[in-house]
Coordinates of all heavy atoms in Angstrom, one line a residue:
S1 N 94.3 98.1 95.8 CA 92.8 98.0 95.6 C 92.0 98.3 96.9 O 90.8 98.0 97.0 CB 92.5 96.5 95.2 OG 92.9 95.6 96.2
Y2 N 92.7 98.8 97.9 CA 92.0 99.2 99.1 C 92.3 100.7 99.4 O 93.0 101.4 98.8 CB 92.6 98.4 100.3 CG 94.1 98.2 100.3 CD1 94.9 99.2 100.8 CD2 94.7 97.0 99.7 CE1 96.3 99.0 100.7 CE2 96.0 96.9 99.7 CZ 96.9 97.9 100.2 OH 98.2 97.7 100.1
F3 N 91.5 101.2 100.4 CA 91.7 102.6 100.8 C 92.8 102.7 101.9 O 93.0 101.7 102.7 CB 90.4 103.1 101.4 CG 89.3 103.1 100.4 CD1 87.9 102.9 100.7 CD2 89.5 103.4 99.0 CE1 86.9 102.9 99.8 CE2 88.5 103.4 98.1 CZ 87.2 103.1 98.5
E4 N 93.4 103.9 102.0 CA 94.4 104.0 103.0 C 94.3 105.4 103.7 O 94.1 106.4 103.1 CB 95.8 104.0 102.3 CG 97.0 104.3 103.2 CD 98.3 104.2 102.5 OE1 98.5 103.6 101.5 OE2 99.3 104.9 103.0
I5 N 94.5 105.4 105.0 CA 94.6 106.6 105.8 C 95.8 106.5 106.7 O 96.0 105.5 107.5 CB 93.3 106.8 106.7 CG1 92.0 106.8 105.9 CG2 93.5 108.1 107.6 CD1 90.8 107.0 106.7
T6 N 96.8 107.4 106.5 CA 98.1 107.3 107.2 C 98.3 108.5 108.1 O 98.0 109.7 107.6 CB 99.2 107.2 106.2 OG1 99.2 105.9 105.6 CG2 100.6 107.4 106.8
Y7 N 98.7 108.3 109.3 CA 99.0 109.3 110.3 C 100.5 109.4 110.5 O 101.1 108.4 110.9 CB 98.2 109.0 111.5 CG 98.6 109.6 112.8 CD1 99.1 110.9 112.9 CD2 98.4 109.0 114.0 CE1 99.5 111.5 114.1 CE2 98.7 109.5 115.2 CZ 99.3 110.8 115.3 OH 99.7 111.4 116.4
V8 N 101.1 110.5 110.3 CA 102.5 110.7 110.5 C 102.7 111.0 112.0 O 102.3 112.0 112.5 CB 103.1 111.9 109.7 CG1 104.6 112.0 109.9 CG2 102.8 111.6 108.2
Q9 N 103.4 110.1 112.7 CA 103.7 110.3 114.1 C 105.0 111.0 114.3 O 105.2 111.7 115.3 CB 103.7 108.9 114.8 CG 102.4 108.2 114.8 CD 102.5 106.9 115.5 OE1 103.2 106.0 115.1 NE2 101.7 106.8 116.6
K10 N 106.0 110.7 113.5 CA 107.4 111.2 113.7 C 108.1 111.4 112.3 O 107.8 110.6 111.4 CB 108.2 110.3 114.6 CG 109.6 110.7 114.8 CD 110.4 109.6 115.6 CE 111.8 110.0 115.7 NZ 112.6 108.9 116.4
G11 N 108.9 112.4 112.2 CA 109.7 112.5 111.0 C 109.1 113.4 109.9 O 107.9 113.8 110.0
Q12 N 109.8 113.6 108.8 CA 109.3 114.4 107.7 C 109.6 113.7 106.4 O 110.5 112.9 106.2 CB 110.0 115.7 107.7 CG 109.7 116.6 108.8 CD 110.5 118.0 108.7 OE1 111.6 118.0 108.3 NE2 109.8 119.0 109.1
G13 N 108.7 113.9 105.4 CA 108.9 113.3 104.1 C 108.0 114.0 103.1 O 107.0 114.7 103.5
N14 N 108.2 113.8 101.8 CA 107.4 114.3 100.7 C 106.6 113.1 100.2 O 107.1 112.1 99.8 CB 108.2 114.9 99.6 CG 108.8 116.2 100.1 OD1 108.3 116.9 101.0 ND2 109.9 116.6 99.5
Y15 N 105.3 113.3 100.0 CA 104.4 112.4 99.4 C 104.0 112.9 98.0 O 103.7 114.1 97.9 CB 103.2 112.0 100.2 CG 103.4 110.9 101.2 CD1 104.1 111.1 102.3 CD2 102.8 109.6 100.9 CE1 104.3 110.0 103.2 CE2 103.0 108.6 101.8 CZ 103.8 108.8 103.0 OH 104.0 107.8 103.8
F16 N 103.9 112.1 97.0 CA 103.6 112.5 95.6 C 102.3 111.7 95.2 O 102.3 110.5 95.2 CB 104.7 112.2 94.7 CG 106.1 112.7 95.1 CD1 106.9 112.0 95.9 CD2 106.5 114.0 94.8 CE1 108.1 112.5 96.3 CE2 107.7 114.5 95.2 CZ 108.5 113.7 96.0
V17 N 101.3 112.5 94.8 CA 100.1 111.9 94.3 C 99.3 112.9 93.4 O 99.3 114.1 93.7 CB 99.2 111.4 95.5 CG1 98.8 112.6 96.4 CG2 97.9 110.7 95.0
N18 N 98.8 112.4 92.4 CA 98.0 113.2 91.4 C 98.7 114.5 91.0 O 98.1 115.5 90.8 CB 96.6 113.6 92.1 CG 95.7 112.5 92.3 OD1 95.6 111.6 91.5 ND2 94.9 112.5 93.4
G19 N 100.0 114.3 90.7 CA 100.8 115.4 90.3 C 101.1 116.5 91.3 O 101.7 117.5 91.0
Q20 N 100.8 116.2 92.6 CA 101.0 117.1 93.7 C 102.1 116.5 94.6 O 102.2 115.3 94.7 CB 99.7 117.3 94.5 CG 98.6 118.0 93.7 CD 98.9 119.4 93.4 OE1 99.4 120.2 94.2 NE2 98.5 119.8 92.2
E21 N 102.8 117.4 95.2 CA 103.8 117.0 96.2 C 103.4 117.6 97.6 O 103.2 118.8 97.7 CB 105.2 117.6 95.8 CG 106.3 117.2 96.8 CD 107.7 117.7 96.3 OE1 107.8 118.0 95.1 OE2 108.6 117.7 97.2
Y22 N 103.3 116.8 98.6 CA 102.9 117.2 99.9 C 104.0 117.0 100.9 O 104.5 115.9 101.1 CB 101.6 116.4 100.4 CG 100.4 116.6 99.5 CD1 100.0 115.6 98.6 CD2 99.7 117.8 99.5 CE1 98.8 115.8 97.9 CE2 98.6 118.0 98.8 CZ 98.1 117.0 97.9 OH 97.0 117.2 97.1
M23 N 104.4 118.1 101.6 CA 105.4 118.0 102.7 C 104.6 117.5 103.9 O 103.7 118.1 104.4 CB 106.0 119.3 102.9 CG 106.9 119.4 104.1 SD 108.3 118.4 104.0 CE 109.2 118.8 105.5
M24 N 105.0 116.3 104.4 CA 104.3 115.7 105.5 C 105.2 115.8 106.8 O 106.4 115.5 106.8 CB 104.1 114.2 105.2 CG 103.2 114.0 104.0 SD 101.5 114.6 104.1 CE 100.9 113.6 105.5
E25 N 104.5 116.2 107.9 CA 105.2 116.4 109.2 C 104.4 115.7 110.3 O 103.2 115.3 110.0 CB 105.3 117.9 109.5 CG 106.2 118.6 108.5 CD 106.3 120.1 108.8 OE1 105.3 120.8 109.1 OE2 107.5 120.6 108.8
P26 N 104.9 115.6 111.5 CA 104.2 115.0 112.6 C 102.8 115.6 112.8 O 102.7 116.8 112.8 CB 105.1 115.2 113.8 CG 106.5 115.2 113.2 CD 106.3 115.9 111.9
G27 N 101.8 114.7 112.9 CA 100.4 115.2 113.1 C 99.6 115.3 111.8 O 98.4 115.4 111.8
D28 N 100.3 115.2 110.6 CA 99.6 115.3 109.4 C 99.0 113.9 109.1 O 99.4 112.9 109.5 CB 100.6 115.6 108.2 CG 101.0 117.1 108.3 OD1 100.5 117.9 109.1 OD2 102.0 117.4 107.6
I29 N 97.9 114.0 108.3 CA 97.2 112.8 107.8 C 97.2 112.8 106.3 O 97.1 113.9 105.7 CB 95.7 112.8 108.3 CG1 95.6 113.0 109.8 CG2 95.0 111.5 107.8 CD1 96.1 111.9 110.6
I30 N 97.3 111.7 105.7 CA 97.2 111.6 104.2 C 96.3 110.4 103.8 O 96.4 109.4 104.5 CB 98.6 111.5 103.5 CG1 98.4 111.8 102.0 CG2 99.3 110.2 103.8 CD1 99.7 112.2 101.3
I31 N 95.4 110.6 102.9 CA 94.5 109.6 102.5 C 94.6 109.3 101.0 O 94.8 110.2 100.2 CB 93.0 109.9 102.9 CG1 92.4 111.0 102.0 CG2 93.0 110.3 104.4 CD1 91.0 111.2 102.3
F32 N 94.4 108.0 100.6 CA 94.5 107.6 99.2 C 93.3 106.7 99.0 O 93.0 105.8 99.8 CB 95.8 106.8 98.9 CG 97.0 107.6 99.3 CD1 97.8 107.2 100.3 CD2 97.4 108.7 98.5 CE1 99.0 107.8 100.7 CE2 98.6 109.4 98.9 CZ 99.3 109.0 99.9

């Protein structure tokens, strides 16, 4: 029930949202 802003400092991963897949790397930002 809250907003989120996440900053990737290290490592890699895939985030899934709204039917999309985002490859996340250091320096990337993702918001929900």
Side-chain angles (χ1 to χ4, degrees):
S1 60
Y2 43 80
F3 299 145
E4 175 182 335
I5 301 178
T6 289
Y7 161 32
V8 180
Q9 296 180 297
K10 177 186 176 184
Q12 294 180 320
N14 290 335
Y15 271 74
F16 308 90
V17 59
N18 290 326
Q20 298 290 322
E21 179 176 345
Y22 298 107
M23 171 67 176
M24 302 296 296
E25 298 180 312
D28 290 348
I29 309 290
I30 193 159
I31 73 173
F32 306 109

